[in-house]
Amino acid sequence: MAEIWLVASGDLRESANVQCWPAQAAMEAQLGAVLAEMGHSLRRGHPVKPEGHGFIASQREGMDIFAGIPPEAPLIVAEAVWQYSHHVLPGLTSHKGPILTLANWSGQWPGLVGMLNLNGSLTKAGVPYATLWSEDFSDAFFRDKLGDWLSQGTIRHDIGHVRPFDPAAVPAEDRALARDMATALRRDKIILGVFDEGCMGMYNAIIPDELLMPMGVFKERLSQSALYHATLQVPEAEGRAAYDWMVARGMTFHLGSDPASELTEAQVILQCRMYVAAVRLADTFGCEAIGIQYQQGLKDLLPASDLVEGMLNNAERPPVTRADGSVIREGEAIVHFNEVDECAGLDGVLINRLHRALGQPVETTLHDLRWGDRDASGSRDDFIWVFEISGAAPPAHHPGGWAGSESLRQPAMFFPAGGGSLRGIAKAGEIIWSRIFVEDGRLKMDMGRGQAVDLPEEETRRRAMGTTPQWPIMHGVLTGVSRDAMMARHKANHIQVVYATDAASADRAMLARAALAAELGIEVSLCGV
């Protein structure tokens, strides 16, 4: 492996690529220096563009670039930023040489989030790869593993924290509950409403229909253009009523007057009209859960849908009525799978049904595994993740609920039409985490336990300012799973989380959901527990 080729997938949005390029260039320089020390040269597979960045910015561009890369060459996909996996996935599916996905370890520049999405996509596509990460490429773990890849073309990580789920570990009462729920699901069937499949190139987040159908789960493929039209049909008075409902419960909206850079009341009212439209569309099509892609396309027409998504996932939410005046699913969350991640949507439905039956909290959300670090304030000794989804978590996850939640303008780099987030710092408590993914043509599921923890205000501020301060955070501690073990095993940028009222209830809910998933034919592994 004297010469190593490198490619870098980027965003579809040129504004993001230009802004993020200095971080990528710095990482590539560090990587090149390390490889030179180890006797290897690094060759970029594509040049830096006149536009001011060196990212692959479309699927067609990626295909053309891979056509010029020797198919047997050792190849590193290096990511210091969020990226769209479909830009490079076509080329990687036919590449014959050893592939290494590599990311920085940074809160500000989320290369590890982009890499985890690519890893999940490669796993689904059946493409062999090795994976590695580092803060500055100087640590022994990174250099030793990189040496393994350079000499052998593979890397072996310790994933001894993973073990197959044993249904015999579940009490008979809960096994019967899981069996009855699976039977009802297959008999009665449900619909996932999908507003434009495939957000931001996340191939891993699309579940093939033939894997869902035997469970009784089917897709209603809807269009974001239908949501746009329905939003504009909602009278402004209905949007304002939803806004007033949230304000009356103590939610804070950080409003300004400049729509280009600040959150305005008009943007929020339009988001609330979108919420009303989404609830009615879910009702019209009989969808148990819906997912809004929200990025490309819709962002150019409406304010961001994040506020809508957090509202939907909360059992206590503004009422929405049908034409006859009846309230749609009063007192119930309407499961929303952010970024139209169908793996999260299926998981969310299982959580909602099971937790209702067990009398446990139903509010669930996915988060990005954005970053993690030790507590710089010294108040705790363990490794604490920053779980941070790009805009909204259900208010029930925040201390004080609606009163402990706030809305800030989404970054203009991503959302030119503005719109607010639904932000808070997740309350301390027992959590169950999970991820459904596709591998070997089958649905699989990793599950584990953990806690959302409180951190001192200055440490929370450090983490928020070191990532994206407009977005909700959960300070997550995973039981029995180290940082590197999680990175080595996890097959997505997303992680699903839900609370339970206490540790014993969380243990029970985890095992019961594992039993339900297994009854539906999903291969379940327990991680760290």
Side-chain angles (χ1 to χ4, degrees):
M1 283 195 185
E3 184 176 68
I4 312 298
W5 286 68
L6 178 145
V7 296
S9 178
D11 208 293
L12 186 67
R13 297 160 291 202
E14 284 293 276
S15 58
N17 287 332
V18 171
Q19 183 167 329
C20 296
W21 173 243
Q24 177 75 22
M27 185 194 79
E28 290 184 20
Q30 284 182 306
L31 177 61
V34 170
L35 287 169
E37 288 177 26
M38 302 175 80
H40 300 269
S41 62
L42 190 62
R43 176 174 177 175
R44 262 192 142 254
H46 47 107
V48 177
K49 303 173 184 177
E51 293 87 345
H53 70 83
F55 290 113
I56 299 171
S58 75
Q59 185 169 220
R60 181 71 258 172
E61 182 185 0
M63 291 172 175
D64 295 341
I65 286 167
F66 269 88
I69 295 175
E72 305 291 339
L75 176 68
I76 295 177
V77 185
E79 297 299 338
V81 299
W82 170 246
Q83 60 81 39
Y84 286 26
S85 291
H86 77 300
H87 293 171
V88 292
L89 188 61
L92 293 172
T93 60
S94 58
H95 192 75
K96 304 304 181 186
I99 297 168
L100 175 65
T101 64
L102 186 148
N104 60 341
W105 192 268
S106 167
Q108 182 180 9
W109 307 107
L112 69 93
V113 182
M115 184 191 75
L116 285 171
N117 180 263
L118 180 58
N119 289 355
S121 296
L122 290 170
T123 296
K124 179 186 173 187
V127 178
Y129 65 95
T131 189
L132 200 50
W133 50 91
S134 180
E135 191 167 338
D136 60 9
F137 308 123
S138 66
D139 56 284
F141 170 82
F142 173 78
R143 289 182 176 239
D144 289 347
K145 296 294 186 185
L146 180 61
D148 291 344
W149 184 75
L150 291 169
S151 62
Q152 304 166 24
T154 60
I155 294 174
R156 292 179 64 87
H157 290 290
D158 182 3
I159 54 170
H161 67 290
V162 182
R163 63 181 175 85
F165 164 65
D166 180 6
V170 182
E173 177 187 0
D174 289 345
R175 284 204 308 272
L177 174 64
R179 192 162 48 248
D180 290 346
M181 282 191 162
T183 299
L185 199 58
R186 286 191 291 260
R187 180 191 65 232
D188 300 333
K189 301 178 176 49
I190 66 160
I191 296 171
L192 303 180
V194 179
F195 285 92
D196 290 344
E197 206 162 43
C199 178
M200 296 185 289
M202 288 192 281
Y203 170 71
N204 68 310
I206 302 171
I207 301 179
D209 293 57
E210 60 270 19
L211 298 184
L212 292 172
M213 289 176 178
M215 303 178 186
V217 179
F218 294 79
K219 299 180 194 179
E220 186 77 51
R221 286 178 168 86
L222 302 165
S223 171
Q224 291 187 111
S225 61
L227 178 59
Y228 172 61
H229 174 74
T231 296
L232 298 187
Q233 306 313 302
V234 175
E236 184 173 328
E238 286 193 78
R240 181 165 293 280
Y243 171 59
D244 290 342
W245 186 99
M246 290 185 284
V247 171
R249 280 152 184 79
M251 184 168 168
T252 300
F253 291 86
H254 298 271
L255 301 177
S257 57
D258 180 7
S261 61
E262 297 176 304
L263 180 64
T264 65
E265 185 178 271
Q267 291 171 6
V268 176
I269 298 301
L270 197 48
Q271 287 181 295
C272 290
R273 292 167 68 191
M274 194 195 312
Y275 161 75
V276 173
V279 172
R280 287 180 176 151
L281 284 168
D283 186 54
T284 297
F285 287 94
C287 301
E288 180 144 345
I290 62 171
I292 302 170
Q293 186 193 131
Y294 101 116
Q295 286 279 1
Q296 304 310 329
L298 193 64
K299 70 175 178 58
D300 300 316
L301 298 171
L302 289 171
S305 62
D306 300 276
L307 177 62
V308 177
E309 298 165 11
M311 295 165 74
L312 289 169
N313 271 327
N314 215 60
E316 182 196 13
R317 55 182 177 79
V320 177
T321 58
R322 302 181 181 89
D324 64 5
S326 60
V327 177
I328 299 170
R329 301 187 205 176
E330 188 170 10
E332 297 180 16
I334 297 176
V335 174
H336 179 275
F337 40 110
N338 305 54
E339 297 171 355
V340 74
D341 183 340
E342 294 165 8
C343 298
L346 176 59
D347 205 358
V349 167
L350 301 186
I351 289 169
N352 186 278
R353 288 190 166 212
L354 182 75
H355 277 232
R356 269 190 289 153
L358 296 178
Q360 291 298 310
V362 299
E363 287 84 3
T364 182
T365 188
L366 58 78
H367 278 289
D368 279 329
L369 280 88
R370 177 63 183 264
W371 177 59
D373 197 6
R374 298 282 173 179
D375 176 7
S377 73
S379 71
R380 297 180 64 99
D381 295 328
D382 40 5
F383 183 84
I384 305 165
W385 285 93
V386 174
F387 297 154
E388 184 179 87
I389 187 56
S390 53
H397 282 198
H398 305 149
W402 288 100
S405 303
E406 59 184 339
S407 185
L408 298 94
R409 192 201 191 280
Q410 281 281 39
M413 176 174 70
F414 299 125
F415 297 99
S421 59
L422 207 167
R423 181 189 186 273
I425 307 300
K427 63 188 179 184
E430 299 291 331
I431 61 169
I432 305 108
W433 67 267
S434 53
R435 177 64 192 180
I436 292 174
F437 59 99
V438 180
E439 184 176 31
D440 301 327
R442 306 196 308 276
L443 279 174
K444 300 184 179 182
M445 182 182 197
D446 284 352
M447 300 185 72
R449 285 272 288 106
Q451 296 80 38
V453 301
D454 285 330
L455 291 176
E457 185 176 344
E458 66 271 19
E459 176 66 4
T460 295
R461 186 180 306 111
R462 179 180 82 91
R463 289 166 177 256
M465 298 310 295
T467 53
T468 307
Q470 296 92 339
W471 296 348
I473 283 180
M474 175 179 283
H475 303 311
V477 174
L478 302 183
T479 303
V481 186
S482 69
R483 182 198 82 164
D484 292 336
M486 189 67 178
M487 290 294 296
R489 169 69 181 185
H490 207 62
K491 306 302 185 199
N493 50 311
H494 291 155
I495 184 171
Q496 196 78 17
V497 294
V498 66
Y499 283 92
T501 52
D502 53 65
S505 297
D507 291 344
R508 180 190 180 193
M510 179 189 68
L511 291 174
R513 180 150 49 99
L516 173 57
E519 286 282 346
L520 291 169
I522 300 173
E523 181 181 313
V524 182
S525 297
L526 299 182
C527 301
V529 294

